Amino acid sequence: MKKGTLLNSEISYVISKMGHTNTLTIGDCGLPVPEGVQRIDLAVIKGLPEFMPVLKAVLDELSVEKIILAEEIRDKSPDILKNILEIINLTEAEENKKIDVEYIPHEEFKEKTRSSKAVIRTGEYKPFANIILVSGVTF
């Protein structure tokens, strides 16, 4: 049995194949998944699982150098944004690496998901609870 904290085999597999600057998206239950992009659907019901625990689990396994968020998260879901930035700051401190944050319009965000290795769909039911993780390196 896998010793790490992340037990989902599909997410583990995608992370194991990530290279520097590859992207992985985690989204709320409303984020569209583009044709041709792997969909890892964790959604069970509205709100389950929530976005933040899934993000934390992925960040425990994936080296991240940058995150991309929709600009609209600032006004529509400031609580989610605050939690994301807190987690990113904790990750930075643990890894002694700076994780850049980029904000783009939501329509552009959806376009960028087309190049993600996968989109992880959560049951989160808050607007703009979406993130693109840009893979870093561990050295």
Side-chain angles (χ1 to χ4, degrees), residues 55-88:
L55 175 60
K56 287 178 188 176
V58 170
L59 289 174
D60 282 346
E61 298 286 328
L62 178 64
S63 175
V64 173
E65 69 179 26
K66 177 179 171 181
I67 64 168
I68 302 171
L69 303 166
E71 291 173 346
E72 293 85 347
I73 195 173
R74 291 174 167 150
D75 294 326
K76 302 293 185 183
S77 289
D79 55 326
I80 294 281
L81 175 59
K82 180 179 180 260
N83 288 336
I84 289 170
L85 295 177
E86 285 174 359
I87 289 171
I88 294 303

Short mmCIF file of all heavy atoms in Angstrom, two decimals, residues 55-88:
data_model
loop_
_atom_site.label_atom_id
_atom_site.label_comp_id
_atom_site.label_asym_id
_atom_site.label_seq_id
_atom_site.Cartn_x
_atom_site.Cartn_y
_atom_site.Cartn_z
N LEU A 55 -6.88 20.30 -2.48
CA LEU A 55 -5.68 21.10 -2.78
C LEU A 55 -4.54 20.74 -1.84
O LEU A 55 -3.41 20.53 -2.28
CB LEU A 55 -6.01 22.59 -2.70
CG LEU A 55 -4.82 23.55 -2.89
CD1 LEU A 55 -4.15 23.34 -4.24
CD2 LEU A 55 -5.27 24.99 -2.70
N LYS A 56 -4.83 20.65 -0.55
CA LYS A 56 -3.78 20.31 0.43
C LYS A 56 -3.15 18.96 0.12
O LYS A 56 -1.93 18.80 0.17
CB LYS A 56 -4.36 20.29 1.85
CG LYS A 56 -4.66 21.65 2.41
CD LYS A 56 -5.27 21.54 3.79
CE LYS A 56 -5.76 22.88 4.29
NZ LYS A 56 -6.43 22.78 5.58
N ALA A 57 -3.97 17.98 -0.19
CA ALA A 57 -3.45 16.63 -0.49
C ALA A 57 -2.56 16.64 -1.72
O ALA A 57 -1.50 16.02 -1.74
CB ALA A 57 -4.62 15.65 -0.68
N VAL A 58 -2.96 17.37 -2.75
CA VAL A 58 -2.16 17.45 -3.97
C VAL A 58 -0.85 18.18 -3.70
O VAL A 58 0.21 17.76 -4.15
CB VAL A 58 -2.96 18.11 -5.12
CG1 VAL A 58 -2.06 18.42 -6.31
CG2 VAL A 58 -4.12 17.21 -5.54
N LEU A 59 -0.91 19.26 -2.93
CA LEU A 59 0.32 20.02 -2.63
C LEU A 59 1.30 19.22 -1.79
O LEU A 59 2.51 19.49 -1.84
CB LEU A 59 -0.02 21.34 -1.93
CG LEU A 59 -0.67 22.40 -2.80
CD1 LEU A 59 -1.09 23.60 -1.95
CD2 LEU A 59 0.23 22.83 -3.94
N ASP A 60 0.81 18.23 -1.06
CA ASP A 60 1.72 17.35 -0.30
C ASP A 60 2.55 16.47 -1.22
O ASP A 60 3.60 15.98 -0.84
CB ASP A 60 0.93 16.45 0.66
CG ASP A 60 0.50 17.17 1.92
OD1 ASP A 60 1.01 18.28 2.20
OD2 ASP A 60 -0.37 16.62 2.63
N GLU A 61 2.08 16.25 -2.45
CA GLU A 61 2.74 15.34 -3.39
C GLU A 61 3.42 16.05 -4.55
O GLU A 61 4.37 15.52 -5.12
CB GLU A 61 1.71 14.35 -3.96
CG GLU A 61 1.06 13.45 -2.95
CD GLU A 61 1.97 12.35 -2.44
OE1 GLU A 61 2.83 11.87 -3.20
OE2 GLU A 61 1.82 11.97 -1.27
N LEU A 62 2.95 17.23 -4.94
CA LEU A 62 3.42 17.89 -6.15
C LEU A 62 4.25 19.12 -5.82
O LEU A 62 3.83 19.97 -5.04
CB LEU A 62 2.21 18.31 -7.01
CG LEU A 62 2.51 19.07 -8.30
CD1 LEU A 62 3.29 18.18 -9.29
CD2 LEU A 62 1.20 19.55 -8.94
N SER A 63 5.43 19.22 -6.44
CA SER A 63 6.24 20.42 -6.33
C SER A 63 5.63 21.49 -7.24
O SER A 63 5.44 21.26 -8.44
CB SER A 63 7.68 20.12 -6.77
OG SER A 63 8.44 21.30 -6.78
N VAL A 64 5.30 22.65 -6.67
CA VAL A 64 4.61 23.70 -7.41
C VAL A 64 5.45 24.97 -7.39
O VAL A 64 5.91 25.39 -6.33
CB VAL A 64 3.21 23.98 -6.80
CG1 VAL A 64 2.55 25.18 -7.46
CG2 VAL A 64 2.33 22.74 -6.92
N GLU A 65 5.65 25.58 -8.57
CA GLU A 65 6.40 26.83 -8.63
C GLU A 65 5.50 28.03 -8.87
O GLU A 65 5.91 29.17 -8.65
CB GLU A 65 7.50 26.77 -9.69
CG GLU A 65 7.02 26.73 -11.11
CD GLU A 65 8.18 26.69 -12.11
OE1 GLU A 65 9.27 26.21 -11.75
OE2 GLU A 65 7.97 27.14 -13.26
N LYS A 66 4.27 27.78 -9.31
CA LYS A 66 3.36 28.88 -9.62
C LYS A 66 1.93 28.38 -9.56
O LYS A 66 1.67 27.21 -9.86
CB LYS A 66 3.67 29.41 -11.02
CG LYS A 66 2.78 30.50 -11.52
CD LYS A 66 3.26 30.90 -12.91
CE LYS A 66 2.32 31.82 -13.61
NZ LYS A 66 2.79 32.18 -14.95
N ILE A 67 1.02 29.27 -9.16
CA ILE A 67 -0.40 28.96 -9.24
C ILE A 67 -1.08 30.02 -10.10
O ILE A 67 -0.63 31.17 -10.16
CB ILE A 67 -1.08 28.88 -7.85
CG1 ILE A 67 -1.04 30.22 -7.12
CG2 ILE A 67 -0.47 27.78 -7.02
CD1 ILE A 67 -1.92 30.29 -5.90
N ILE A 68 -2.13 29.61 -10.76
CA ILE A 68 -2.92 30.52 -11.59
C ILE A 68 -4.35 30.47 -11.08
O ILE A 68 -4.92 29.39 -10.90
CB ILE A 68 -2.85 30.12 -13.07
CG1 ILE A 68 -1.39 30.10 -13.55
CG2 ILE A 68 -3.70 31.08 -13.92
CD1 ILE A 68 -1.19 29.51 -14.93
N LEU A 69 -4.90 31.66 -10.84
CA LEU A 69 -6.27 31.81 -10.34
C LEU A 69 -7.04 32.76 -11.23
O LEU A 69 -6.45 33.64 -11.87
CB LEU A 69 -6.25 32.38 -8.91
CG LEU A 69 -5.47 31.60 -7.86
CD1 LEU A 69 -5.26 32.45 -6.62
CD2 LEU A 69 -6.19 30.31 -7.53
N ALA A 70 -8.36 32.63 -11.23
CA ALA A 70 -9.20 33.59 -11.94
C ALA A 70 -9.26 34.88 -11.12
O ALA A 70 -9.40 34.84 -9.90
CB ALA A 70 -10.60 33.03 -12.14
N GLU A 71 -9.17 36.02 -11.81
CA GLU A 71 -9.26 37.32 -11.13
C GLU A 71 -10.54 37.42 -10.31
O GLU A 71 -10.54 38.03 -9.24
CB GLU A 71 -9.26 38.44 -12.17
CG GLU A 71 -7.96 38.63 -12.88
CD GLU A 71 -8.05 39.65 -14.02
OE1 GLU A 71 -9.17 40.03 -14.44
OE2 GLU A 71 -6.97 40.06 -14.48
N GLU A 72 -11.59 36.82 -10.79
CA GLU A 72 -12.91 36.95 -10.16
C GLU A 72 -12.97 36.35 -8.76
O GLU A 72 -13.86 36.67 -7.99
CB GLU A 72 -13.97 36.28 -11.06
CG GLU A 72 -14.20 36.99 -12.37
CD GLU A 72 -13.25 36.60 -13.50
OE1 GLU A 72 -12.20 35.95 -13.24
OE2 GLU A 72 -13.54 36.96 -14.65
N ILE A 73 -12.01 35.49 -8.41
CA ILE A 73 -12.00 34.88 -7.08
C ILE A 73 -11.88 35.95 -6.00
O ILE A 73 -12.40 35.78 -4.90
CB ILE A 73 -10.89 33.81 -6.95
CG1 ILE A 73 -11.13 32.94 -5.70
CG2 ILE A 73 -9.51 34.44 -6.92
CD1 ILE A 73 -10.19 31.74 -5.60
N ARG A 74 -11.20 37.04 -6.32
CA ARG A 74 -10.99 38.12 -5.33
C ARG A 74 -12.32 38.66 -4.81
O ARG A 74 -12.46 38.90 -3.61
CB ARG A 74 -10.17 39.25 -5.95
CG ARG A 74 -8.74 38.88 -6.23
CD ARG A 74 -8.07 40.01 -6.97
NE ARG A 74 -6.64 39.85 -6.99
CZ ARG A 74 -5.86 40.29 -7.95
NH1 ARG A 74 -6.38 40.93 -8.98
NH2 ARG A 74 -4.56 40.10 -7.91
N ASP A 75 -13.29 38.88 -5.71
CA ASP A 75 -14.58 39.45 -5.32
C ASP A 75 -15.63 38.41 -4.98
O ASP A 75 -16.43 38.60 -4.08
CB ASP A 75 -15.13 40.34 -6.44
CG ASP A 75 -14.27 41.57 -6.67
OD1 ASP A 75 -13.70 42.10 -5.70
OD2 ASP A 75 -14.15 41.99 -7.85
N LYS A 76 -15.61 37.29 -5.71
CA LYS A 76 -16.68 36.31 -5.56
C LYS A 76 -16.44 35.26 -4.47
O LYS A 76 -17.39 34.73 -3.92
CB LYS A 76 -16.92 35.58 -6.90
CG LYS A 76 -17.26 36.50 -8.04
CD LYS A 76 -18.59 37.16 -7.86
CE LYS A 76 -18.94 37.98 -9.10
NZ LYS A 76 -20.17 38.70 -8.97
N SER A 77 -15.19 34.95 -4.18
CA SER A 77 -14.87 33.95 -3.14
C SER A 77 -13.60 34.34 -2.38
O SER A 77 -12.60 33.61 -2.38
CB SER A 77 -14.69 32.56 -3.77
OG SER A 77 -15.92 32.05 -4.21
N PRO A 78 -13.65 35.48 -1.69
CA PRO A 78 -12.45 35.94 -0.97
C PRO A 78 -12.00 34.97 0.12
O PRO A 78 -10.81 34.89 0.42
CB PRO A 78 -12.85 37.30 -0.41
CG PRO A 78 -14.35 37.30 -0.40
CD PRO A 78 -14.77 36.41 -1.53
N ASP A 79 -12.94 34.22 0.71
CA ASP A 79 -12.58 33.26 1.74
C ASP A 79 -11.75 32.11 1.16
O ASP A 79 -10.76 31.68 1.76
CB ASP A 79 -13.82 32.71 2.46
CG ASP A 79 -14.84 32.11 1.50
OD1 ASP A 79 -14.98 32.60 0.35
OD2 ASP A 79 -15.51 31.13 1.89
N ILE A 80 -12.12 31.64 -0.02
CA ILE A 80 -11.34 30.59 -0.69
C ILE A 80 -9.96 31.13 -1.04
O ILE A 80 -8.95 30.46 -0.82
CB ILE A 80 -12.07 30.10 -1.96
CG1 ILE A 80 -13.38 29.41 -1.62
CG2 ILE A 80 -11.16 29.20 -2.80
CD1 ILE A 80 -13.26 27.99 -1.14
N LEU A 81 -9.90 32.35 -1.57
CA LEU A 81 -8.62 32.96 -1.92
C LEU A 81 -7.71 33.06 -0.70
O LEU A 81 -6.53 32.69 -0.76
CB LEU A 81 -8.83 34.34 -2.54
CG LEU A 81 -7.56 35.13 -2.85
CD1 LEU A 81 -6.65 34.37 -3.81
CD2 LEU A 81 -7.92 36.49 -3.41
N LYS A 82 -8.26 33.52 0.40
CA LYS A 82 -7.48 33.65 1.64
C LYS A 82 -6.90 32.30 2.04
O LYS A 82 -5.71 32.18 2.38
CB LYS A 82 -8.36 34.20 2.76
CG LYS A 82 -7.66 34.37 4.08
CD LYS A 82 -8.63 34.96 5.13
CE LYS A 82 -7.95 35.13 6.44
NZ LYS A 82 -8.24 34.08 7.39
N ASN A 83 -7.71 31.25 1.99
CA ASN A 83 -7.24 29.91 2.35
C ASN A 83 -6.17 29.40 1.39
O ASN A 83 -5.19 28.79 1.82
CB ASN A 83 -8.42 28.93 2.39
CG ASN A 83 -9.32 29.16 3.59
OD1 ASN A 83 -8.91 29.71 4.59
ND2 ASN A 83 -10.57 28.76 3.46
N ILE A 84 -6.35 29.66 0.10
CA ILE A 84 -5.35 29.24 -0.88
C ILE A 84 -4.01 29.91 -0.57
O ILE A 84 -2.97 29.25 -0.52
CB ILE A 84 -5.80 29.58 -2.32
CG1 ILE A 84 -6.95 28.68 -2.76
CG2 ILE A 84 -4.62 29.45 -3.30
CD1 ILE A 84 -7.62 29.10 -4.06
N LEU A 85 -4.04 31.22 -0.36
CA LEU A 85 -2.80 31.95 -0.13
C LEU A 85 -2.13 31.52 1.18
O LEU A 85 -0.90 31.45 1.26
CB LEU A 85 -3.06 33.45 -0.15
CG LEU A 85 -3.52 34.00 -1.50
CD1 LEU A 85 -3.83 35.48 -1.41
CD2 LEU A 85 -2.52 33.71 -2.60
N GLU A 86 -2.92 31.19 2.19
CA GLU A 86 -2.35 30.68 3.45
C GLU A 86 -1.65 29.35 3.22
O GLU A 86 -0.54 29.12 3.70
CB GLU A 86 -3.44 30.52 4.51
CG GLU A 86 -3.88 31.85 5.11
CD GLU A 86 -5.06 31.70 6.06
OE1 GLU A 86 -5.58 30.57 6.25
OE2 GLU A 86 -5.49 32.74 6.60
N ILE A 87 -2.28 28.45 2.48
CA ILE A 87 -1.68 27.14 2.20
C ILE A 87 -0.42 27.30 1.37
O ILE A 87 0.60 26.64 1.63
CB ILE A 87 -2.68 26.22 1.48
CG1 ILE A 87 -3.78 25.80 2.44
CG2 ILE A 87 -1.99 24.99 0.91
CD1 ILE A 87 -4.92 25.07 1.77
N ILE A 88 -0.46 28.17 0.38
CA ILE A 88 0.70 28.40 -0.47
C ILE A 88 1.86 28.95 0.36
O ILE A 88 3.01 28.54 0.20
CB ILE A 88 0.36 29.35 -1.64
CG1 ILE A 88 -0.64 28.70 -2.58
CG2 ILE A 88 1.60 29.79 -2.39
CD1 ILE A 88 -0.21 27.38 -3.17
#
